[in-house]
Amino acid sequence: MVANLWATSRLLVNYPEPYRSQILDYLFKPNFGASLHILKVEIGGDGQTTDGTEPSHMHYALDENYFRGYEWWLMKEAKKRNPNITLIGLPWSFPGWLGKGFDWPYVNLQLTAYYVVTWIVGAKRYHDLDIDYIGIWNERSYNANYIKILRKMLNSQGLQRVKIIASDNLWESISAAMLLDAELFKVVDVIGAHYPGTHSVRDARLTGKKLWSSEDFSTLNSDTGAGCWGRILNQNYVNGYMTSTIAWNLVASYYEQLPYGRCGLMTAQEPWSGHYVVESPVWVSAHTTQFTQPGWYYLKTVGHLEKGGSYVALTDGLGNLTIIIETMSHKHSKCIRPFLPYFNVSQQFATFVLKGSFSEIPELQVWYTKLGKTSERFLFKQLDSLWLLDSNGSFTLKLQEDELFTLTTLTTGRKGSYLPPPKSQRFPSTYKDDFNVDYPFFSEAPNFADQTGVFEYFTNMEDPGEHHFTLRQVLNQRPITWAADASNTISIIGDYNWTNLTIKCDVYIETPDTGGVFIAGRVNKGGILIRSARGIFFWIFANGSYRVTGDLAGWIIYALGHVEVTAKKWYTLTLTIKGRFASGMLNDKSLWTDIPVNFPKNGWAAIGTHSFEFAQFDNFHVEATR
């Protein structure tokens, strides 16, 4: 069981205390909230992975840095709360140098294996984190020889205990390949499939390996999302023999208008206000996670209920027993994918009989959730215990639609709570960042969400003056992509509903002749859709030209001209957008005015570069009037 993220916790690190710690407690603290057993993280590869890019520990061939991004911090926070949590790493994209000119991580198998193993070794050396499982390439091709080389390299580094999960895609190909290839069979420890719809395939079951739904859910965290989650947590085992289900994503800590907004177990997308919401999927998780642990095993008596719904039973082998029952209706438990064939659930009475050593159990604790109408809604409520002494281990429950029951011998269950967090607020309409941080705790500036490229705090040794501390775009080649990254780099910030605004920023092109940078407003798309982002983009180039475009790709040209601009020199760009018109200034002198802009009507502010090139930004300032 449960937890997962990538490029989805971007805003979480910026939360002020105590709210940041409270959010982490709701996710990871045992017997408090979601009490997650597993944390699966992206091995940052510098590429777009749904809602943003995550930095690699090796941007370039001779570069190693184990303090970039937020995944290290997140794993440590999870371990701090639950030292037994299982850690999994999985690459989505890879830095470009591994591909030697190709958009493919299997050009040099040794090199890619070396890159992944350095991440595991670095996790231990710099953060004392033991990675338990490693994946291959998220939802993309696997290479059988690569998997074998990875296993050998892990062993040569004394990492025999790190297990391999493959292939984080469909069941079919990897299962069939394992049955035909004895060495591959030996080196793959877990078969992981994504969005299996609660079913596995015969070949996967024939391997006798552990089967996991290694990515699932990704559904809006409403009560319907909670219903989806409750249903698949049970039925992934009942129908498909999967002993672990991992939710994408852990916490919705990214701008909501990015793809798959609010598809996390809880919502924490306002670090500027401290507001967060403990959504119902957290309490659905608790029904399983608080009353089982890795190492517990399912009993043979699991199945479907006569009038819809399912039940599972697990034990620790030491006399403890947990039974989880769900009656999620079709209407209120549709996941985002795959298609869910119709089924019916209606009121019923279900009788359970405890046999063998379980017949001696005197009492079961009862935890209850009812999703749906506010008047009848309960989330993870403890009911009166069931006393079984006089009933020969038999009990009957009345079950209605959209309910969850956990019956357990464990008395440690708890519905944790804190005082309500601050009220929701819009992103501040005046926002400034001069990036003057001597020893930054995180490599990235708060609230900037990189959508192509990687923007990091930078200490400019050549400039002891005003631009000593800057924000720098640090990729000099396109990564091996997972999604359709843009051809330009871009980082977004602010309120998607911003309409009228002035953006001002100092910029520094590092590449002579061909280099270029931009500032932008009303940027209307991000994540996997970033290539097609529209907005108002104000560019200057080292060849002495400027442009105003209506899109990131630069197809829609509003204006262009010559201007005295060169590389290796600081300039101040100002972009003002008001109603249907935009104007731009260079070094506080008007450069172009009143260009008509009819679309889009609103969007984020942004900074970026013309290509994968080094460039710096400083004294970023937005004034928005909504």
Side-chain angles (χ1 to χ4, degrees), residues 65-78:
N65 180 327
Y66 298 91
F67 296 92
R68 292 185 185 128
Y70 53 78
E71 302 286 21
W72 309 109
W73 168 82
L74 191 67
M75 287 190 281
K76 285 191 287 195
E77 293 294 326

Side-chain angles (χ1 to χ4, degrees), residues 1-2 34 36 229 233 265 280-290:
M1 241 303 279
V2 205
L36 298 170
W229 188 227
L233 281 177
L265 298 178
S280 44
V282 164
W283 303 116
V284 167
S285 304
H287 272 276
T288 297
T289 51
Q290 290 203 18

